[in-house]
């Protein structure tokens, strides 16, 4: 029939540090109150997919994505999406090279870019204005995070195991972070983009950065 349904337990998302996981679940996602993110929809081009034959097929999907108390229709509303109060996660998309289609996005509560091995271009997020939490981790080819510069309201910056990373997002002057983690980025040579940081974060982890001068 082409109908599909999926659900994700929000608490199944694990982070390197317990404090990050606690903030994510309690302060942002309210995962006790809203334990699941769900998607219900259908494959529009179901007839083009040979389910009884091995191979690679492109599936065009439409449906409703619900995170917390918010429901959005995809993909039509995605192209005009401006505000996401909760979580916006792009995870483990092996063929994802760029983020075209997200140019209208302006505000995200929690932004996660995780395990997208082919991702190299995030310029579609250049006009993103604010986010409370930014996670970019295990993106093997991602060298440039500067399109995410100048995010207002940023409280947590977590950049883990990005082996190609060379350019950080520039912080707004006066940014106060609760947590700053940059770990295992061997090509990163400086932290100049963090000059706008004010005060000392409650948690600072800078590890495995051999090229840092």
């Amino acid at each position: 029939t082409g109908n599909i349904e999926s659900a994700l337990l929000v608490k199944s998302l694990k982070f390197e540090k317990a404090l990050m996981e606690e903030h994510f679940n309690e302060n942002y996602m309210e995962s006790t109150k809203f334990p699941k993110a769900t998607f219900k929809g259908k494959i529009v081009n179901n007839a083009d997919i040979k389910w009884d034959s091995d191979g690679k097929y492109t599936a065009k999907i439409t449906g409703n994505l619900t995170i917390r108390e918010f429901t959005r229709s995809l993909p039509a509303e995605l192209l005009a999406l401006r505000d996401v109060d909760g979580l916006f996660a792009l995870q483990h998309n092996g063929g994802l090279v760029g983020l075209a289609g997200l140019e209208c996005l302006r505000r995200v509560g929690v932004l996660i870019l995780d395990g997208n091995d082919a991702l190299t271009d995030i310029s579609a997020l250049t006009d993103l204005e604010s986010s409370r939490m930014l996670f970019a981790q295990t993106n093997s080819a991602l060298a440039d995070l500067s399109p995410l510069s100048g995010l207002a309201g940023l409280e947590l910056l977590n950049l883990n195991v990005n082996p190609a990373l060379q350019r950080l997002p520039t912080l707004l002057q006066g940014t106060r972070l609760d947590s700053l983690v940059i770990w295992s980025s061997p090509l990163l040579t400086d932290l100049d983009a963090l000059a706008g940081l004010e005060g000392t974060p409650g948690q600072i982890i800078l590890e495995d950065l051999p090229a840092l001068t």
Side-chain angles (χ1 to χ4, degrees):
T1 64
N3 293 327
I4 55 174
E5 292 189 18
S6 62
L8 171 72
L9 286 173
V10 176
K11 287 187 177 180
S12 70
L13 297 171
K14 300 300 179 182
F15 300 94
E16 186 70 26
K17 304 299 178 182
L19 181 61
M20 300 173 194
E21 194 167 318
E22 179 182 337
H23 285 181
F24 175 78
N25 283 296
E26 294 183 4
N27 298 345
Y28 302 105
M29 294 302 292
E30 297 184 67
S31 53
T32 298
K33 184 178 180 181
F34 305 102
K36 293 181 180 180
T38 63
F39 179 79
K40 295 182 180 181
K42 64 180 181 179
I43 301 174
V44 178
N45 62 330
N46 188 56
D48 298 332
I49 299 175
K50 298 178 181 179
W51 295 101
D52 56 353
S53 300
D54 292 339
K56 294 184 178 180
Y57 304 96
T58 299
K60 297 179 181 179
I61 298 173
T62 186
N64 293 320
L65 176 67
T66 300
I67 299 176
R68 288 185 40 155
E69 68 270 47
F70 306 103
T71 299
R72 296 289 184 270
S73 297
L74 301 178
E77 288 190 12
L78 184 62
L79 299 178
L81 188 64
R82 291 182 58 88
D83 299 316
V84 178
D85 290 330
L87 168 71
F88 190 92
L90 295 168
Q91 296 179 287
H92 307 295
N93 298 287
L96 186 67
V97 175
L99 303 182
L102 296 178
E103 287 83 355
C104 290
L105 200 59
R106 296 294 181 269
R107 184 173 61 86
V108 175
V110 180
L111 177 61
I112 298 178
L113 304 174
D114 177 19
N116 303 293
D117 291 338
L119 183 63
T120 58
D121 181 8
I122 63 168
S123 59
L125 299 179
T126 298
D127 291 328
L128 186 66
E129 298 170 355
S130 69
S131 181
R132 297 190 304 274
M133 303 174 71
L134 171 59
F135 296 87
Q137 51 199 29
T138 60
N139 300 289
S140 301
L142 187 57
D144 186 5
L145 286 172
S146 63
L148 293 171
S149 295
L151 293 177
L154 193 63
E155 299 171 7
L156 185 149
L157 181 62
N158 185 330
L159 312 176
N160 285 338
V161 195
N162 297 291
L165 183 61
Q166 298 180 51
R167 298 186 65 188
L168 298 176
T170 300
L171 297 183
L172 281 177
Q173 192 66 38
T175 295
R176 290 182 173 272
L177 295 177
D178 294 330
S179 178
L180 171 63
V181 178
I182 305 175
W183 175 52
S184 193
S185 295
L187 299 184
L188 188 64
T189 59
D190 66 73
L191 300 177
D192 294 348
L194 306 182
L197 184 64
E198 184 173 310
T200 303
Q203 175 179 248
I204 301 178
I205 299 174
L206 302 173
E207 295 182 4
D208 194 14
L209 305 171
L212 202 60
T213 56

